[in-house]
Amino acid sequence: MFRTGPVTVEVPATSANLGPGFDAFGLALDLTDTVTAELVPGGLEIEAAGEGADAVPVDESHLIIRSMRSTFDRLGGQPAGLRLTSENRIPHGRGLGSSAAAIVAGVLLARALVRGGAEQFDDAEVLALASELEGHPDNVAACLLGGFTIAWTTDGRGRAVRSEPKGVHPVLFIATESSSTHTARAALPPSVPHPDAAFNAARSALLALALTQGRTELLMSATEDRLHQPYRAAAMPASSALVAELRRAGIPAVISGAGSSVLALVGDQDQVTPARAYTPQGWRSLALAIGEGAALTAS
Ligand SMILES: Nc1ncnc2c1ncn2[C@@H]1O[C@H](COP(=O)(O)OP(=O)(O)O)[C@@H](O)[C@H]1O
Ligand SMILES: N[C@@H](CCOP(=O)(O)O)C(=O)O
């Protein structure tokens, strides 16, 4: 049933929400983790290097391993032994989709280690399982498909479409303090006022149009949000202050994912360097290209 491997996958960082598109919008970024898995006669070996390597567990609770286990279960059984190596470049707990990248890596690697895995478990199944493991589909959609994605859930299954953003140059401001997505989700109220829902419905539709048609002059209005950022602001004051400062300067900026990093969608390449001048002390900024979706690079 199994292939020994090794198999390797590149999985991109993602920025979710993009302001108004809470749990729906995602943007893949050209910053990737590289993860390799192979079957061994017995046991579990994990070797991690780079971002978060000292903090991740090296047992069955490791997120990539948990995602591989879930996938093997769907495909008919567990292998005798596993060896995993990862080169992590995506910072953890910074709103850059590191957990989504880990989950997508695990699902794709496990599928590739099963003979006929891709026939039994197609890409729609990968997205549905990865969304279930992550708890929301936006990051995993962008991680799998690349580009700008709109994700939704039907009958409990995550689904998504990809489109090509035009004329935007993402600049990431990576916070020094981490923020757990789980905690940031707990800060959200169970219901929101109807006018706020209407406010976001208009902005999210506008943002999809602005990104796909290259209407960068709409980005300031299109990135406004009342559904998640206001409720999370108190827990990440430095990030909220940076968003406000960038927006005062006319740069469309939002909290990346559940924070704590900030994403600016710069509409003019010449404005990338001036935007990076706003990087707070101790933070770092990266000007990144739009990313491609997860790809098996060796098998
Ligand atoms: N490459 C990885 N290997 C193992 N675990 C990972 C990896 N990337 C992320 N994780 C797990 O996901 C957690 C971060 O998830 P989360 O709080 O959702 O933040 P993020 O915004 O980075 O996705 C890390 O603390 C770690 O437990
Ligand atoms: N829609 C989610 C996105 C979380 O992204 P992450 O990169 O912080 O994991 C949310 O806002 O909770």
Side-chain angles (χ1 to χ4, degrees), residues 16-17 22-23 95-97 99 134 136 138-139 181 185 232 257-259:
N17 302 327
F22 177 75
D23 275 3
L96 300 175
S99 56
E134 172 81 333
H136 47 94
D138 43 356
N139 296 89
T181 305
R185 289 180 82 80
R232 292 168 160 171

Side-chain angles (χ1 to χ4, degrees), residues 8 34 77 83 87 91-93 108 126-127 158 175 178 190 199 214 232 257 259 287 289:
T8 299
T34 307
R83 177 174 158 72
E87 177 64 45
H92 292 188
L108 289 177
V126 171
L127 175 60
S178 66
F199 181 99
R232 292 168 160 171

Side-chain angles (χ1 to χ4, degrees), residues 197-268:
F199 181 99
N200 268 55
R203 267 61 178 188
S204 58
L206 189 64
L207 182 55
L209 182 146
L211 288 175
T212 53
Q213 297 192 3
R215 297 281 303 273
T216 54
E217 80 283 6
L218 298 172
L219 285 173
M220 280 301 287
S221 292
T223 50
E224 291 175 313
D225 160 62
R226 288 189 186 164
L227 291 190
H228 72 105
Q229 293 176 151
Y231 301 104
R232 292 168 160 171
M236 47 189 94
S239 310
S240 301
L242 177 59
V243 169
E245 191 184 5
L246 288 163
R247 293 186 72 87
R248 272 196 304 275
I251 301 166
V254 296
I255 296 290
S256 182
S260 48
S261 297
V262 169
L263 173 75
L265 294 170
V266 178
D268 173 355

